[in-house]
């Protein structure tokens, strides 16, 4: 009975090793010419393989990067990425990564090659840097760090030739975008630099040569970016916190005064006036400042400060202040926006009062006695911007309130140059971010 039963079962199929199975699975998927399910692979390789075994092999191949998968309903469809030679190379790489002394293993491997194989390996190594090398982020990753230099002449042209409102919006947007791009650049470099540090929490694949080759001068740039980014984040946080603290301190100082739109402080020695934004926008002015001005000039002062509040100029000033902390090359834009916001308020006050000369007189008188606003991110009456230039501008006819100047003018050339520089910086940052993301994704083990 026992003998006849064994004869009925027939000979057992030969047990295939893991490496052989992986090669057969990859070969079957490559012959398929498209995505296939695990059940299809099981049928293709023969019924002796369990479905769970096929899933395990496919999962291992996916972790090695030899196959890709896409969800199809409740299961996956698999596609071959590497061929049999690529799979063998992946296995060799895995064995090498598992050894402590890579140099010794490679040396023994090379000495064991035949003369033909050694010559072939030398030829492949000689061709490697020119062929098949993936282009990384390249110098594009450094562009956002230095492109703010191009904003310096743009700031000067915008101050002189654009309407203050247009100049403020343009320069603030320029500062914000360039600051974000340069910070993103530092973050990308920091990722590469952190991956090279011993004991870092990042995946081991992020320190592979393929990742480091994506950044020029990766050893220096990556490690320098770590303290640089920390300094940028701390500096920006301090600027934002100082703005918040000054506003809260000013509001507490005014808590005992009547809740009116104008807060008059009884101070006969310090002359100043500034706009205090908040839930109740208020104009803060001292009795010393009011004593300096005549009735029409006081109306000009209040119109000026209300223009700051209505246009939310503190947001522009805070943006350029934080941007200058993120990239010191943006400091000229911070100075320019501080001037253009004052000019914007001057023009609004002149329209409200109906006399440009009255506003000019008020600005000139206040500048002789004012000590300025309590913070660079709060707009004062005569605290920011060269006062003689503001007075001279008020004594000239009102500037044209065009939304966007023509390209064939000096102002238009400045505006379009700023837009082009900002676009290049944004595209360079986006290119670097997407490139590094794809490289890190390919280097991350599942």
């Amino acid at each position: 009975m026992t003998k006849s039963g064994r004869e009925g079962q027939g000979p057992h199929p030969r047990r295939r090793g893991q490496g052989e199975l992986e090669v057969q699975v990859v070969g079957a998927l490559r012959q398929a010419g498209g995505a296939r399910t695990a059940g299809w692979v099981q049928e293709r390789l023969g019924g002796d393989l369990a479905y769970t075994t096929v899933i395990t092999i496919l999962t291992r191949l996916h972790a090695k990067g030899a196959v890709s998968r896409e969800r199809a309903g409740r299961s996956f469809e698999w596609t071959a990425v590497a061929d049999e030679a690529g799979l063998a190379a992946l296995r060799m790489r895995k064995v090498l990564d598992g050894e402590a002394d890579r140099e010794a293993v490679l040396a023994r491997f090379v000495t064991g090659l035949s003369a033909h194989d050694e010559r072939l390996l030398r030829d492949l190594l000689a061709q490697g840097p020119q062929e098949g090398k993936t282009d990384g982020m390249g110098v594009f990753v450094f562009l956002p760090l230095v492109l703010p230099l191009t904003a310096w002449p743009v700031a000067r042209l915008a101050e002189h030739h654009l309407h203050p409102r247009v100049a403020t919006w343009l320069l603030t947007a320029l500062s914000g975008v360039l600051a974000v791009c340069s910070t993103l650049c530092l973050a990308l470099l920091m990722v590469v630099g952190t991956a090279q540090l011993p004991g870092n929490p990042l995946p081991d694949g992020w320190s592979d040569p393929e990742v480091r080759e994506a950044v020029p001068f990766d050893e220096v740039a990556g490690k320098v970016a770590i303290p640089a980014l920390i300094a940028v984040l701390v500096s920006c946080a301090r600027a934002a916190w100082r703005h918040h603290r000054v506003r809260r301190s000013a509001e507490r100082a005014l808590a005992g005064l009547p809740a009116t739109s104008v807060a008059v402080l009884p101070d006969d020695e310090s002359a100043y006036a500034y706009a205090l934004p908040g839930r109740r926008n208020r104009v803060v002015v001292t009795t010393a400042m009011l004593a300096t001005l005549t009735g029409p000039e006081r109306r000009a002062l209040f119109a000026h400060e209300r223009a700051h509040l209505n246009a939310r100029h503190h947001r522009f000033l805070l943006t350029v202040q934080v941007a200058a902390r993120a990239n010191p090359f943006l400091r000229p834009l911070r100075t320019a926006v501080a001037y253009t916001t004052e000019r914007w308020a001057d023009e609004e006050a002149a329209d409200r009062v109906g006399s440009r000369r009255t506003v000019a007189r008020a600005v000139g008188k206040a500048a002789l006695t004012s000590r300025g606003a309590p913070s660079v991110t709060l707009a004062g009456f005569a605290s920011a911007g060269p006062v003689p230039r503001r007075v001279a501008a008020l004594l000239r006819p009102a500037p044209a309130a065009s939304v966007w100047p023509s390209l064939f003018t000096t102002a238009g050339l400045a505006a379009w140059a700023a837009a082009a520089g900002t676009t290049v910086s944004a595209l360079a940052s986006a290119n670097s971010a997407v490139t590094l993301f794809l490289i890190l994704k390919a280097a991350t083990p599942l």
Side-chain angles (χ1 to χ4, degrees):
M1 292 291 294
T2 305
K3 183 177 179 180
S4 62
R6 287 177 180 174
E7 289 176 354
Q9 292 177 358
H12 290 285
R14 181 178 62 87
R15 184 179 180 85
R16 288 171 283 189
Q18 176 183 331
E20 182 181 357
L21 285 173
E22 290 180 349
V23 172
Q24 291 178 356
V25 169
V26 171
L29 288 175
R30 287 186 62 83
Q31 291 178 1
R36 293 293 186 269
T37 63
W40 182 91
V41 176
Q42 180 188 22
E43 295 177 0
R44 186 76 172 180
L45 298 183
D48 59 308
L49 281 179
Y51 182 80
T52 55
T53 302
V54 176
I55 289 292
T56 301
I57 295 172
L58 287 169
T59 303
R60 289 174 178 171
L61 290 172
H62 185 265
K64 296 177 181 179
V67 300
S68 63
R69 66 184 183 185
E70 293 183 0
R71 182 168 292 279
R74 300 181 63 182
S75 60
F76 290 99
E77 290 187 343
W78 307 82
T79 306
V81 176
D83 54 11
E84 290 82 352
L87 183 59
L90 289 172
R91 289 201 300 269
M92 294 169 63
R93 174 67 178 275
K94 184 177 180 180
V95 172
L96 182 61
D97 290 341
E99 298 295 330
D101 193 348
R102 298 169 63 95
E103 183 177 355
V105 174
L106 288 173
R108 295 292 179 86
F109 176 76
V110 172
T111 55
L113 294 175
S114 65
H116 174 73
D117 290 341
E118 183 176 351
R119 187 165 52 252
L120 179 61
L121 181 60
R122 291 181 184 276
D123 293 341
L124 291 174
L125 290 174
Q127 298 173 4
Q130 288 79 27
E131 298 179 6
K133 181 177 179 179
T134 303
D135 293 334
M137 294 180 287
V139 296
F140 289 102
V141 73
F142 298 111
L143 277 181
L145 293 176
V146 297
L147 274 176
L149 289 171
T150 62
W152 293 11
V154 172
R156 294 290 295 174
L157 290 172
E159 285 182 23
H160 291 285
H161 300 286
L162 291 180
H163 188 277
R165 181 178 60 253
V166 177
T168 300
W169 276 102
L170 174 66
L171 297 179
T172 303
L174 183 64
S175 298
V177 173
L178 291 178
V180 170
C181 291
S182 63
T183 305
L184 177 60
C185 165
L186 286 177
L188 296 176
L189 293 174
M190 189 203 69
V191 170
V192 178
T194 304
Q196 301 177 45
L197 298 179
N200 69 81
L202 301 178
D204 294 338
W206 290 18
S207 60
D208 288 349
E210 291 82 358
V211 178
R212 296 199 302 269
E213 288 174 1
V215 180
F217 316 108
D218 61 283
E219 293 187 1
V220 177
K223 294 176 181 178
V224 170
I226 298 175
L229 181 62
I230 294 175
V232 164
L233 295 178
V234 171
S235 181
C236 292
R238 288 183 61 185
W241 170 249
R242 186 174 186 275
H243 172 77
H244 175 78
R245 186 186 61 189
V246 169
R247 285 180 57 181
R248 296 288 82 82
S249 299
E251 289 176 354
R252 285 194 297 268
L254 302 177
L257 298 177
T260 57
S261 60
V262 177
V264 180
L265 300 180
D267 189 342
D268 295 332
E269 296 182 358
S270 300
Y272 60 87
Y274 62 90
L276 180 63
R279 283 175 293 182
R280 286 198 309 263
N281 291 334
R282 307 182 77 177
V283 176
V284 181
V285 60
T286 62
T287 53
M289 174 63 78
L290 294 178
T292 305
L293 306 175
T294 64
E297 292 166 354
R298 291 177 186 177
R299 288 194 296 272
L301 181 148
F302 293 135
H304 177 99
E305 298 304 334
R306 289 193 180 99
H308 282 314
L309 295 172
N310 294 335
R312 301 288 183 182
H313 286 170
H314 65 282
R315 295 180 179 176
F316 296 96
L317 296 173
L318 179 60
T319 299
V320 295
Q321 178 72 9
V322 173
R325 298 293 184 93
N327 193 321
F329 292 151
L330 293 173
R331 289 179 179 176
L333 295 184
R334 177 185 62 185
T335 305
V337 171
Y339 170 72
T340 57
T341 52
E342 293 299 324
R343 283 284 301 116
W344 184 353
D346 288 342
E347 294 298 329
E348 294 291 332
D351 289 342
R352 181 66 62 87
V353 174
S355 172
R356 300 177 64 83
R357 187 172 294 274
T358 300
V359 178
R361 242 187 350 259
V363 170
K365 284 184 179 181
L368 296 176
T369 57
S370 176
R371 66 175 178 86
S375 173
V376 293
T377 56
L378 296 180
F381 184 53
S383 58
V387 173
R389 288 171 54 195
R390 291 173 57 192
V391 172
L394 285 167
L395 295 178
R396 293 193 297 266
S402 58
V403 177
W404 194 259
S406 171
L407 177 61
F408 303 103
T409 62
T410 305
L413 184 62
W416 283 104
T422 305
T423 303
V424 170
S425 180
L427 290 177
S429 300
N431 172 75
S432 301
V434 172
T435 302
L436 184 60
F437 172 78
L438 295 177
I439 293 173
L440 295 180
K441 182 180 179 182
T444 303
L446 298 179

